[in-house]
Amino acid sequence: MSAAGDAGRGDRGSSLLLTGIGELTTGEPDGRCAGPAALLVEDGVVAWSGPAGEVPEAAGASRVDLAGRAVVPGFVDSHTHLVFAGHRAAEWEARMSGRPYVAGGILTTVSATRAASDAELAAGARRLAAEALRSGTTTLEVKSGYRLEVDGERRLLEVAGAVTTETTFLGAHVVPPEHAGRPDDYVELVAGEMLSACAPHARWADVFCERGAFDADQARHVLGAAAEVGLGLRVHANQLGPGPGAALAAELGAASVDHCSYLDDADLEALAASGTIATLLPVAELSTRSPRPDARRLLDAGVRVALATDCNPGTSFTTSMPLVIALAVAEMGMTFDEALQAATAGGAEALRRSDIGRLTPGCGADLVVLEAPTAVWLGYRPGVDLVAAVVRGGELVAGAWPAAAG
Ligand code: NIG
Ligand code: FE
């Protein structure tokens, strides 16, 4: 099985007609359309969708009757750190008893990841990508950032590249122990030799711009060098407190600034005026007992928002986009439709992709069949696995087609 990422589209000449859709979310501004609806896939791409009574002639198509189940676009998880070794359950348990999260916890995973073989790391990444796929994620972004040395970071990106094409170089995650007290030397290494080794294996570069990690000048230096070699930009910022990262992301035209729990009005204005998406990661706040970002405030200020898991062993050990959607609605002021959009088309925008995240003609046929009559159940039934089948590029890649009604 290929892991969640960018598998090729279905075979040329193949077509698939889904009928009996109880509710169809295409990602168009009019939101969810009540069924019965149908959707036609040709060569792995959505060819047509609409009311069941208007299905075009589709001679030769395989037909599947979904018997009233809801269909949504496959989730686009635009922020994960899937390549690592070990776990930090004890750190989580201590946090739940009141200990604060500090960025230094990342070094625990750095030492476990440096000690692991590439084969072990690849097996772990494949396992998590398969878990994500099973919960409806059809596109994943994956970052490096847990080896923090030239060859080590390159190898993490090679491992990431086996599960997705959306790979991100995060050499500027924290300063590693051998550079303790010499952060500027490390920044030179990241922006120089490490970037040269990693850029051929990455589409994006990211920097953790936060107290305890990298300041604005250091972040600007790394991101500027990355842009020069053709990488797209992303920034981790404003997670643990107010700071310069969000404004820097907007100024540099980054595709996304991620976390965004602490934004002031000037940050909102800068983001709204830029093409930079604010990617919110609510399980990171859940797992660090931190205040959640105020999505309502961002949306009302005209900032475009995506939702993602931040899957990592320290602050957010989940691959579940349904959980992310449920939290965004219950605790961050998003309507259900806004949250579903942010987890699909919003994630695609954060990756600057127009070929995924929607079920409109011409988009990849990446979709989730829910064991539910309406997508709203993703929030209404939190913690319950509602994913019946996952289709990517027109092919069934997880779950199963519903049995024909007897
Ligand atoms: O997105 N903020 C920085 N990086 C990760 C945390 C990684 C870790 O704690 O291992 C994050 O939350
Ligand atoms: Fe992260």
Side-chain angles (χ1 to χ4, degrees):
M1 185 194 66
S2 59
D6 301 88
R9 302 293 175 204
D11 295 340
R12 281 194 70 74
S14 68
S15 54
L16 168 71
L17 180 64
L18 300 180
T19 61
I21 298 173
E23 178 197 81
L24 178 63
T25 303
T26 60
E28 296 276 75
D30 56 357
R32 289 170 284 120
C33 313
L39 184 139
L40 178 64
V41 178
E42 276 169 2
D43 300 332
V45 169
V46 176
W48 177 89
S49 63
E54 297 170 19
V55 180
E57 186 54 44
S62 325
R63 286 167 185 257
V64 180
D65 180 358
L66 297 181
R69 291 171 177 82
V71 167
V72 297
F75 304 122
V76 178
D77 188 352
S78 59
H79 182 142
T80 83
H81 307 248
L82 282 196
V83 192
F84 62 84
H87 67 83
R88 284 156 50 200
E91 185 188 308
W92 174 83
E93 206 179 358
R95 276 202 305 272
M96 294 304 111
S97 315
R99 190 182 306 162
Y101 173 71
V102 287
I106 294 169
L107 291 176
T108 309
T109 299
V110 170
S111 83
T113 305
R114 285 178 174 182
S117 70
D118 292 3
E120 284 162 345
L121 295 172
R126 270 199 307 273
R127 204 163 39 243
L128 287 172
E131 182 183 284
L133 187 67
R134 182 66 194 82
S135 67
T137 296
T138 47
T139 302
L140 272 176
E141 178 266 11
V142 179
K143 301 174 200 301
S144 69
Y146 286 125
R147 271 188 174 155
L148 309 180
E149 47 202 8
V150 172
D151 198 48
E153 286 292 302
R154 178 188 61 73
R155 281 156 49 207
L156 293 183
L157 286 164
E158 279 182 354
V159 169
V163 296
T164 186
T165 57
E166 299 293 347
T167 52
T168 301
F169 168 50
L170 180 57
H173 200 182
V174 282
V175 176
E178 59 277 15
H179 284 86
R182 296 181 296 122
D184 288 336
D185 290 353
Y186 183 63
V187 167
E188 282 308 321
L189 180 70
V190 172
E193 200 188 332
M194 199 183 287
L195 176 64
S196 303
C198 290
H201 305 279
R203 176 164 185 234
W204 303 99
D206 195 342
V207 174
F208 187 17
C209 181
E210 195 87 42
R211 201 170 333 118
F214 298 93
D215 67 22
D217 289 344
Q218 294 165 335
R220 184 189 294 279
H221 185 54
V222 171
L223 293 168
E228 258 177 44
V229 297
L231 299 186
L233 307 183
R234 328 185 67 76
V235 186
H236 276 72
N238 303 70
Q239 173 187 9
L240 307 175
L248 181 67
E251 178 201 320
L252 298 180
S256 182
V257 56
D258 301 37
H259 283 289
C260 296
S261 296
Y262 296 89
L263 298 180
D264 62 24
D265 289 344
D267 294 328
L268 292 186
E269 225 173 277
L271 289 174
S274 73
T276 303
I277 306 292
T279 300
L280 310 182
L281 311 163
V283 183
E285 279 72 46
L286 180 77
S287 300
T288 54
R289 286 229 176 128
S290 306
R292 304 242 208 288
D294 184 350
R296 186 76 267 139
R297 179 166 162 251
L298 271 70
L299 290 164
D300 290 347
V303 177
R304 285 177 301 156
V305 167
L307 290 169
T309 64
D310 194 16
C311 180
N312 76 77
T315 59
S316 186
F317 199 8
T318 187
T319 52
S320 174
M321 291 293 282
L323 172 62
V324 167
I325 291 170
L327 285 170
V329 177
E331 306 208 344
M332 288 160 49
M334 297 182 91
T335 66
F336 177 77
D337 286 323
E338 285 168 342
L340 181 56
Q341 201 273 346
T344 52
E349 247 190 292
L351 294 172
R352 301 235 159 118
R353 298 273 301 269
S354 56
D355 60 324
I356 55 170
R358 288 193 166 79
L359 293 174
T360 48
C363 270
D366 298 353
L367 59 90
V368 184
V369 178
L370 296 174
E371 197 56 58
T374 162
V376 176
W377 282 32
L378 287 167
Y380 171 56
R381 303 207 64 213
V384 176
D385 175 13
L386 296 173
V387 174
V390 183
V391 172
R392 191 175 50 205
E395 311 225 320
L396 182 70
V397 285
W401 293 123

